[in-house]
Amino acid sequence: VERQTKSFNFAAYHDLETIYNFMDTLVASHSNLISKVNIGSTYEDRPMYVLKFSTGGEKRPAIWIDAGMHAREWISHATAVWLADRIATDFKENRAPVPSILSKMDIYLMIVANPDGYVFTHRSPNEFYRLWRKNRSATSNPKCNGVDLNRNWDAEFSGPGASDDPCAEHYRGPFAQSEIEVQNIADLIMNHGNFKSFMTLHSYKQLLMYPYGYSGNDAPDRTELHDVATQASRALNSWHGTIYKVGSIFHIIEPASGASVDWAYQRGIKYSFAFELRDTGEYGFLLPADQIVSTARETWYALRYIMQYVCDHPY
Amino acid sequence: EELINGDKVFRIHAESESHIHALKELERDVDSGLDFWTHAVSTEQPVDIRVPHSRLYALKDFLKKNNIPFTVIINNVQELLVREREEMVRNAE
């Protein structure tokens, strides 16, 4: 079967199998740049993949980007699919600044950070649950599956903004990194040891955030992070005029302990940011598919700014 | 199939600490069937809740009793879901 990424419909939402097939096609089309890394399996035994963009070298400084940690935030997965293709084509066509970034750093892109949850949001007709957020692991309550993966990280776990009730949407899990999906990502990042930036894509209303989520106190690098995020949001705004709010997770969305960005920052990854992509107003988690590409493109401008900044400010 | 026909999404604007307290209590009630998309934290951030059809009147009563203003931002979630699924089918074809 001949497969080409150029025939892929980026303006549509796709199921897990189609996204995984897309990744294989992309890797095959850009084998000099991209490899698919299997970082482990999910609770329901699905493989978890990361696309590694690298021009060579061992454990180069690296940038992490993930999407889809919350299953129902489909625009984040769809954006990450588009981003993967964009990074590959920009490199191939020598379009700045991707080649220069990749000459110094690697990019790790995880399109589906919560595969079990994502599959659950597609199940039909008997188990349809489009608005599922968590993973699907069993909990102490047999009636309530699932842990909120963005409350399960080892970052002030069990603090404010997380629930100890398995039936709650933001159930934190029984202990920090109890969830295999979180553990797999944490292991990859810690074993690598040279990540300089950590970015996670979510969706709800347009926000670009930095640590902390668990506390209203300023992070030590707050001033620099705020400046970088402000510039990134301006770059994003240049495409459609989409306005993003910039600030700490705690102050501009809600207190959230056990969040991935705090975990990364506490482990020395200074340039840690969380995006809440456009997905708001009339369409909470139901952004029309004809807005996927424009959302992805504006997000790319912000990500590109941050990646360039990280590249230019080694630490 | 779980049909959520008639589910609405409410945007609730807490105006005082007592409003926030009341909304937090509501969220703690796991039997309420309410799906909090954002949480009651401060008077600056609205709280969005997906409300099952069967809970509409109970929630409206609760909000009115506590004098908490709200708007409806999605009238029927199921309609959006149906539209989205039709599009998925078309794309799959």
Side-chain angles (χ1 to χ4, degrees):
Chain A
V1 178
E2 187 183 356
R3 293 184 305 190
Q4 290 183 311
T5 49
K6 66 183 176 189
S7 64
F8 188 84
N9 183 5
F10 292 100
Y13 294 110
H14 297 286
D15 60 19
L16 184 70
E17 192 189 358
T18 308
I19 291 176
Y20 277 7
N21 285 337
F22 161 80
M23 288 164 64
D24 287 336
T25 309
L26 191 72
V27 170
S29 309
H30 303 272
S31 53
N32 59 329
L33 178 68
I34 313 173
S35 54
K36 188 175 81 171
V37 184
N38 183 332
I39 65 163
S41 297
T42 66
Y43 177 81
E44 291 179 339
D45 210 24
R46 293 186 177 85
M48 294 178 72
Y49 295 124
V50 176
L51 292 176
K52 179 184 176 187
F53 297 76
S54 177
T55 56
E58 274 293 298
K59 294 197 176 173
R60 276 184 166 182
I63 292 166
W64 172 268
I65 304 169
D66 68 70
M69 198 171 287
H70 289 146
R72 63 192 177 189
E73 296 168 8
W74 281 12
I75 183 60
S76 70
H77 311 82
T79 293
V81 167
W82 187 93
L83 290 171
D85 187 65
R86 178 67 191 244
I87 295 168
T89 51
D90 273 14
F91 180 78
K92 190 178 175 186
E93 292 166 13
N94 202 23
R95 208 180 296 152
V98 170
S100 78
I101 292 170
L102 285 170
S103 71
K104 294 179 194 150
M105 306 185 83
D106 294 342
I107 300 170
Y108 288 72
L109 175 62
M110 186 171 207
I111 297 174
V112 189
N114 175 8
D116 294 348
Y118 191 59
V119 168
F120 192 64
T121 63
H122 282 84
R123 280 204 181 146
S124 63
N126 297 320
E127 293 176 81
F128 180 67
Y129 209 130
R130 170 66 179 83
L131 297 171
W132 188 255
R133 168 184 168 99
K134 303 185 279 185
N135 72 349
R136 294 295 301 158
S137 66
T139 69
S140 58
N141 185 332
K143 289 182 180 168
C144 296
N145 281 2
V147 169
D148 181 346
L149 297 181
N150 209 26
R151 298 292 183 277
N152 188 245
W153 295 73
D154 190 7
E156 309 301 318
F157 178 82
S158 83
S163 174
D164 60 359
D165 181 344
C167 298
E169 287 282 355
H170 49 306
Y171 173 49
R172 67 186 187 219
F175 54 89
Q177 285 166 214
S178 59
E179 303 310 294
I180 186 69
E181 294 88 352
V182 171
Q183 192 64 55
N184 287 339
I185 298 171
D187 285 349
L188 175 107
I189 289 173
M190 295 312 290
N191 290 337
H192 183 284
N194 203 14
F195 276 89
K196 299 298 181 187
S197 177
F198 181 104
M199 292 183 274
T200 185
L201 304 184
H202 291 252
S203 73
Y204 197 62
K205 49 187 176 181
Q206 303 92 317
L207 307 172
L208 179 43
M209 304 174 291
Y210 45 80
Y212 296 115
Y214 69 84
S215 155
N217 295 336
D218 283 351
D221 302 293
R222 190 254 172 208
T223 305
E224 184 183 8
L225 295 178
H226 189 83
D227 288 346
V228 174
T230 301
Q231 291 303 324
S233 76
R234 284 187 188 142
L236 184 153
N237 174 269
S238 67
W239 180 245
H240 283 296
T242 306
I243 294 169
Y244 263 54
K245 231 168 123 179
V246 172
S248 77
I249 296 168
F250 187 97
H251 283 116
I252 66 166
I253 184 162
E254 59 194 16
S257 58
S260 63
V261 166
D262 284 355
W263 175 86
Y265 186 73
Q266 286 180 335
R267 276 146 192 82
I269 304 175
K270 179 162 72 163
Y271 299 114
S272 292
F273 298 96
F275 284 73
E276 294 280 352
L277 306 187
R278 185 202 320 179
D279 193 348
T280 189
E282 194 182 351
Y283 303 102
F285 314 118
L286 292 158
L287 192 74
D290 62 10
Q291 292 190 43
I292 290 173
V293 173
S294 55
T295 304
R297 192 186 299 270
E298 68 185 10
T299 305
W300 167 240
Y301 291 145
L303 289 171
R304 195 174 65 178
Y305 176 84
I306 294 171
M307 289 197 287
Q308 178 77 67
Y309 185 92
V310 172
C311 206
D312 294 343
H313 294 79
Y315 64 93
Chain B
E1 180 173 16
E2 180 176 355
L3 282 174
I4 54 176
N5 209 14
D7 279 24
K8 295 181 189 294
V9 177
F10 281 28
R11 176 156 290 173
I12 296 166
H13 302 274
E15 292 176 333
S16 65
E17 282 303 315
S18 67
H19 287 173
I20 291 167
H21 181 74
L23 290 167
K24 279 185 173 165
E25 284 295 310
L26 187 66
E27 192 175 355
R28 268 195 280 275
D29 178 7
V30 292
D31 295 325
S32 70
L34 301 176
D35 177 11
F36 277 74
W37 285 2
T38 54
H39 308 284
V41 176
S42 73
T43 52
E44 287 159 28
Q45 297 288 342
V47 182
D48 291 350
I49 310 177
R50 178 168 64 86
V51 188
H53 185 253
S54 61
R55 302 290 302 167
L56 282 178
Y57 289 103
L59 181 65
K60 278 184 185 170
D61 285 349
F62 173 87
L63 295 172
K64 280 177 184 161
K65 199 175 92 189
N66 287 282
N67 224 2
I68 304 175
F70 67 94
T71 53
V72 176
I73 58 168
I74 300 180
N75 247 318
N76 189 342
V77 178
Q78 186 67 39
E79 275 179 16
L80 295 181
L81 293 173
V82 168
R83 224 178 296 157
E84 189 175 65
R85 291 179 73 188
E86 285 170 354
E87 189 177 84
M88 294 280 290
V89 171
R90 274 202 304 279
N91 283 324
E93 283 168 357

